[in-house]
């Protein structure tokens, strides 16, 4: 699968992030807890450099809990600060400001020693499209100030948002990178909704999902679709699921478009349980 998607507003966002960085105290890098590595923009390290950073594993409620714990340990062992959160429900958000204050303690103490008037922490929120930036901002600000949506690319421009008296957030449009070098990364992002469905081959995404689930969560597949023995052939498995779910043409053949929709919807709506698509041991 080849995806080259870098709309004009994303290129503009990258330039503006670079320009605003000198005003920022700390960066909140929002990633999807279901794919903590694949949803990290490889350009972000280059863009934000050595700025203090907290990696926020959002949608942790949708991810495999055991894997999330492994990812938190993975980042911690590499000297990186990471928190698991659920911005939709508000879980874990109370730790963000507390952790930011801890990471910025030396800077805040220096400002105080110089007699500077205390000011709100200025944080930049970055992340790929549809990772939940606007939902997180609205939760932190305790008002609906940032636009939200289930499709990627809702936020089109930067905006400053006050969070009480102690923090100001700079929201940015989601930034994907121009081209995915690893095909699997593209599939994972498509499967979790970070890429618009209209620009990808969904049947290829569903086939990737079935191969992944067959390898890592076979019992979920059996239980969800009532299949006792998973066939080795992935097309045969797609046929079985299509038949079980009534995805048939008027002539009684498998309707692969409908079967594809069922599989992708089941992954995205947790009908196949809480899933994580990146594994820390693959990076070690």
């Amino acid at each position: 699968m080849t995806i080259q998607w870098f709309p004009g507003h994303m290129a503009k966002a990258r330039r503006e992030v670079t320009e605003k960085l000198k005003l920022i105290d700390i960066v909140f890098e929002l990633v999807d807890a279901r794919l903590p590595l694949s949803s990290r923009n490889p350009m972000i390290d280059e863009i934000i450099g050595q700025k203090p950073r907290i990696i926020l594993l959002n949608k942790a409620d949708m991810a495999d809990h055991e894997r999330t714990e492994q990812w938190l340990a993975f980042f911690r062992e590499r000297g990186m600060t990471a928190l698991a959160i659920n911005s939709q429900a508000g879980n874990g958000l109370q730790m963000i400001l507390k952790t930011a204050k801890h990471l910025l303690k030396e800077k805040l103490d220096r400002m105080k020693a110089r007699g500077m008037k205390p000011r709100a922490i200025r944080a930049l929120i970055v992340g790929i499209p549809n990772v939940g930036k606007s939902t997180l901002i609205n939760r932190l600000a305790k008002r609906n100030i940032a636009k939200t949506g289930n499709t990627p690319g809702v936020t089109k421009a930067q905006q400053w948002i006050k969070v009480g008296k102690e923090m100001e957030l700079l929201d940015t449009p989601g930034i994907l990178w121009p081209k995915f070098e690893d095909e699997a990364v593209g599939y994972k992002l498509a499967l979790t909704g970070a890429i618009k469905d209209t620009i990808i081959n969904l049947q290829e995404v569903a086939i990737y999902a079935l191969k992944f689930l067959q390898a890592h969560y076979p019992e979920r597949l059996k239980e969800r679709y009532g299949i006792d023995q998973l066939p080795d052939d992935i097309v045969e498995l797609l046929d079985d699921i299509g038949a079980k779910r009534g995805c048939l043409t008027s002539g009684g053949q498998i309707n692969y478009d409908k079967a594809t929709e069922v599989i992708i919807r089941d992954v995205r709506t947790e009908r196949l349980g809480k899933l994580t698509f990146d594994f820390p041991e693959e990076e070690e």
Side-chain angles (χ1 to χ4, degrees), residues 4-210:
Q4 294 193 49
W5 186 50
F6 203 59
H9 76 270
M10 289 191 188
K12 181 183 175 186
R14 180 181 175 179
R15 288 196 303 273
E16 290 182 346
V17 164
T18 303
E19 292 168 4
K20 293 284 177 59
L21 206 56
K22 58 181 178 294
L23 304 174
I24 301 299
D25 298 310
I26 191 166
V27 175
F28 297 155
E29 183 187 357
L30 204 58
V31 301
D32 190 321
R34 295 169 295 176
L35 39 156
L37 203 66
S38 298
S39 62
R40 294 192 74 199
N41 190 327
M43 298 191 309
I44 289 298
D45 287 343
E46 176 188 340
I47 293 171
I48 68 176
Q50 298 302 311
K51 281 284 180 183
R53 181 189 330 188
I54 302 175
I55 299 172
L56 300 173
L57 278 64
N58 194 28
K59 305 183 183 181
D61 56 308
M62 301 176 75
D64 184 327
H65 178 71
E66 184 178 346
R67 290 293 182 185
T68 298
E69 291 300 316
Q70 291 172 355
W71 275 111
L72 291 173
F74 175 90
F75 289 123
R76 190 163 53 244
E77 288 164 5
R78 285 155 182 78
M80 306 167 83
T81 302
L83 300 171
I85 65 169
N86 172 4
S87 60
Q88 194 74 41
N91 297 335
L93 305 194
Q94 69 281 5
M95 288 300 298
I96 295 176
L97 178 58
K98 184 177 179 181
T99 304
K101 285 181 176 178
H102 175 72
L103 290 178
L104 295 171
K105 186 176 186 308
E106 284 189 22
K107 179 176 183 177
L108 297 175
D109 286 348
R110 281 200 305 273
M111 291 170 64
K112 187 176 179 180
R114 292 171 185 166
M116 298 173 68
K117 186 179 178 181
R119 61 163 174 79
I121 291 173
R122 294 169 182 157
L124 170 69
I125 294 187
V126 295
I128 63 170
N130 207 28
V131 74
K133 293 186 298 298
S134 297
T135 302
L136 173 62
I137 288 170
N138 289 338
R139 273 286 178 181
L140 290 172
K142 298 180 179 176
R143 61 190 189 280
N144 292 328
I145 195 165
K147 291 182 180 178
T148 62
N150 291 325
T151 56
V154 172
T155 304
K156 301 291 187 186
Q158 293 183 344
Q159 54 179 336
W160 280 102
I161 296 166
K162 287 189 176 181
V163 177
K165 296 181 180 178
E166 295 190 285
M167 190 157 62
E168 292 179 357
L169 301 174
L170 180 59
D171 184 20
T172 63
I175 308 173
L176 276 173
W177 43 110
K179 183 180 179 182
F180 303 113
E181 300 297 333
D182 183 348
E183 190 176 67
V185 170
Y187 284 129
K188 292 174 186 178
L189 291 170
L191 190 55
T192 52
I195 300 170
K196 287 183 178 178
D197 288 348
T198 51
I199 67 166
I200 54 180
N201 184 325
L202 289 176
Q203 284 191 11
E204 290 184 9
V205 176
I207 291 292
Y208 174 83
L210 289 181

